[in-house]
Amino acid sequence: MAAESTNSSAKRRIFLNAFDMFTVGHMSFGQWRNPKDRSATKRRDLSYWTDVAKILERGDFNAIFLADTNGWCDVYTGTAEPCVRNGVQYPMGDPAVPLTAMAAVTKNLGFAITSSTSFEAPYVLAKRFSTLDHLTQGRFGWNVVTSWKASGFEAIGIAPIPHDKRYEIADEYLRVCYKLWEGSWADDALVEDRENNIYAEFQKVRVIKHQGEHFKVQAPHILDPSPQRTPFIFQAGSSPAGLQFGATHAEGIFVVGLTPEVIGPRVKRIRDKIAEVGRDPHSVKIFASLTPILGKTHDEAQEKYREALSYASEEGGLVYWCANTGIDLSKLDLDAEVTREMGSRASNVQLQSLLENLAYPGEGVPKWTPRTIGKAVALGASGPVPVGTAEEVADEMERWVKVADIDGFNIGHITVPGTWEDVVDLLVPVIRERGLYAPKGESGTMRERVYGGGKSRLPEDHVGSSYKYDVYREEVN
């Protein structure tokens, strides 16, 4: 089991999550055209998912994290045509469906999926996620999002919700889930007493009577407590409202930026806010996006990079970036500079970290124009794409940990399964030899692999712990 890491980068464990999506074009657009890539088979071949899970299990990855979205990208050029033509996160499958198949062929790999607090009732989500936590033996996590695409709200049939209001709703949503997961069943309610014909004790199953501004629930949790009760909570918001929400609820936070110098101040703000709400700031693990291109030699890695560029869709990169910022760069000359101030005029700017990246003029960051943005985002979305040997990439990862004070990486792919095979076969042995990686065959629930053996439940300083069965008493007006 893993012990908690300290705030020192010396021998600080590096956690790795594989970052994927149930779609042909997740973060490296156009690579589905490469005959080596299996992305186009995700939607019709379950073996894609089980094969990937086996590779990641062999490499002792902490988890595979599956992003998700609703709607399509229709900001660039004011239409979804380039989104559909380039396969930019469209078409999209349900990430929960392949999860149990992956769990069935692994023993240690964790699984996290994205789900929105804007599009379904908390009772329904709580049931599904308890089921997944049971069937994975506690290896399950939830990436909480509030959703922002106008096309997604149109698809669901509800009016778009203002940014900060979405986080207000999400806060109540999580508290309803905690009541169901933590507060509805006593630890000893499920007895399975065959002799006396008592499966569960009715008196130890509490009806949750929540009457809030946004949700009303009067029901017990429909499923008995799973190994973690509450799944491991991930989040990625970077706005003030998102930062407050993450500091309150998250156990893992995702950040995106091209350099650790960009990420570092953001990480400090996150940890300061976590401390402000009364939690251990280093108990929350922070993951940066990274899409490595690895070779046994530097020249081999460069050749793989050239191959990736030959398939890369810069238009796909612009489709993705514009959808995430709400800014239609098709209205600008390809070489016109894009400034952070443009965001104040956009009506749907949600991923503010992308605009913060534009404000950073440091070494290695180009002048941002539609042309350079499309090229940068086409491989690895808005995260770095280090190219080199395992030793060179490991050096860069250590630099990120030291400069940005992060705990690990969400590893994106250029091609699948090739990128992850290279990480497992080339990179993992190097960072393990440096004393920075998980021991072979590390097991346990997702929370135990972060906090240590016997720690499957929410930490006491987490807000969800205030809703545990033995301490929570609901007052209904």
Side-chain angles (χ1 to χ4, degrees):
M1 302 296 181
E4 285 191 52
S5 57
T6 67
N7 61 2
S8 169
S9 61
K11 297 297 182 182
R12 181 172 177 176
R13 172 171 172 172
I14 293 176
F15 292 88
L16 296 184
N17 300 319
F19 195 20
D20 204 352
M21 199 176 203
F22 204 149
T23 189
V24 65
H26 177 206
M27 294 172 63
S28 295
F29 309 109
Q31 299 303 313
W32 64 271
R33 299 183 298 129
N34 189 329
K36 300 175 184 176
D37 185 70
R38 291 184 63 190
S39 292
T41 70
K42 293 178 184 178
R43 303 178 330 282
R44 54 180 178 265
D45 187 353
L46 193 58
S47 71
Y48 167 87
W49 298 103
T50 53
D51 289 347
V52 164
K54 291 174 185 177
I55 291 167
L56 301 175
E57 174 99 339
R58 179 165 58 84
D60 293 300
F61 266 60
N62 181 59
I64 179 170
F65 163 49
L66 301 182
D68 193 24
T69 189
N70 288 286
W72 54 14
C73 299
D74 57 0
V75 174
Y76 183 69
T77 73
T79 172
E81 189 277 334
C83 164
V84 176
R85 176 164 43 81
N86 285 280
V88 178
Q89 299 190 352
Y90 191 90
M92 179 75 63
D94 187 331
V97 174
L99 192 153
T100 50
M102 290 190 285
V105 298
T106 58
K107 294 182 179 179
N108 306 321
L109 180 68
F111 309 94
I113 63 174
T114 295
S115 194
S116 176
T117 56
S118 296
F119 294 152
E120 66 178 321
Y123 177 87
V124 176
L125 178 140
K127 175 185 178 181
R128 181 168 69 254
F129 284 5
S130 287
T131 304
L132 290 171
D133 199 51
H134 271 298
L135 295 180
T136 61
Q137 289 79 51
R139 294 183 281 150
F140 180 66
W142 173 22
N143 176 41
V144 183
V145 299
T146 64
S147 298
W148 47 267
K149 283 182 185 174
S151 62
F153 282 89
E154 290 169 357
I156 301 300
I158 60 177
I161 303 168
H163 178 273
D164 287 7
K165 189 69 173 179
R166 294 203 309 271
Y167 278 106
E168 176 188 313
I169 293 170
D171 181 81
E172 184 181 340
Y173 193 111
L174 266 290
R175 293 172 192 272
V176 174
C177 287
Y178 297 145
K179 290 177 183 180
L180 293 166
W181 287 326
E182 300 288 340
S184 183
W185 287 61
D187 286 337
D188 58 351
L190 184 68
V191 293
E192 296 182 305
D193 184 344
R194 290 176 171 82
E195 183 176 343
N196 294 298
N197 193 27
I198 303 173
Y199 187 74
E201 293 193 20
F202 174 77
Q203 294 79 5
K204 295 183 178 181
V205 179
R206 174 188 294 153
V207 174
I208 298 304
K209 299 177 180 179
H210 176 88
Q211 296 184 23
E213 180 179 351
H214 307 290
F215 302 103
K216 292 180 173 59
V217 177
Q218 182 159 326
H221 191 30
I222 197 168
L223 196 58
D224 57 288
S226 64
Q228 296 183 116
R229 281 193 177 242
T230 295
F232 193 92
I233 302 293
F234 293 99
Q235 188 262 353
S238 60
S239 66
L243 189 65
Q244 180 68 42
F245 180 87
T248 302
H249 297 282
E251 300 171 274
I253 291 179
F254 305 141
V255 292
V256 178
L258 289 175
T259 71
E261 290 81 7
V262 167
I263 292 297
R266 203 175 304 159
V267 172
K268 185 179 186 304
R269 291 197 299 271
I270 291 170
R271 297 211 192 275
D272 288 347
K273 180 61 70 171
I274 293 167
E276 184 181 303
V277 302
R279 301 175 64 194
D280 175 358
H282 277 85
S283 68
V284 177
K285 304 307 175 188
I286 299 180
F287 299 85
S289 175
L290 187 81
T291 305
I293 298 179
L294 292 152
K296 294 179 181 177
T297 66
H298 185 80
D299 287 346
E300 182 182 85
Q302 289 294 327
E303 178 56 36
K304 289 183 179 181
Y305 178 55
R306 286 189 289 270
E307 180 183 59
L309 288 176
S310 72
Y311 290 104
S313 169
E314 295 179 11
E315 183 184 43
L318 287 171
V319 169
Y320 172 83
W321 193 91
C322 293
N324 278 271
T325 62
I327 303 172
D328 183 3
L329 294 184
S330 72
K331 298 177 180 179
L332 298 180
D333 181 85
L334 281 174
D335 296 309
E337 185 170 8
V338 179
T339 66
R340 188 169 184 259
E341 286 69 30
M342 294 179 63
S344 63
R345 300 196 299 272
S347 61
N348 191 29
V349 177
Q350 304 304 340
L351 299 187
Q352 296 182 16
S353 61
L354 294 177
L355 295 177
E356 289 181 16
N357 292 346
L358 299 183
Y360 183 76
E363 180 181 355
V365 179
K367 174 183 175 181
W368 290 120
T369 67
R371 191 186 306 276
T372 57
I373 288 173
K375 182 177 180 179
V377 177
L379 295 179
S382 299
V385 182
V387 180
T389 64
E391 290 76 12
E392 290 169 332
V393 172
D395 289 344
E396 182 66 2
M397 293 169 73
E398 287 199 68
R399 188 175 81 86
W400 274 71
V401 171
K402 181 178 180 180
V403 172
D405 187 28
I406 61 170
D407 300 286
F409 299 89
N410 285 337
I411 303 295
H413 61 78
I414 301 296
T415 62
V416 284
T419 295
W420 291 322
E421 288 177 323
D422 287 344
V423 171
V424 168
D425 295 332
L426 302 178
L427 183 59
V428 163
V430 171
I431 58 176
R432 176 170 277 147
E433 184 178 347
R434 297 183 184 187
L436 303 171
Y437 196 61
K440 292 184 177 181
E442 180 184 68
S443 63
T445 66
M446 184 174 287
R447 194 167 281 117
E448 285 179 306
R449 291 193 66 187
V450 172
Y451 296 126
K455 297 182 179 180
S456 290
R457 301 288 301 279
L458 286 171
E460 290 303 315
D461 65 355
H462 189 282
V463 63
S465 290
S466 64
Y467 295 97
K468 290 181 178 179
Y469 185 90
D470 292 335
V471 299
Y472 177 65
R473 295 292 179 269
E474 192 156 50
E475 295 180 5
V476 179
N477 295 331

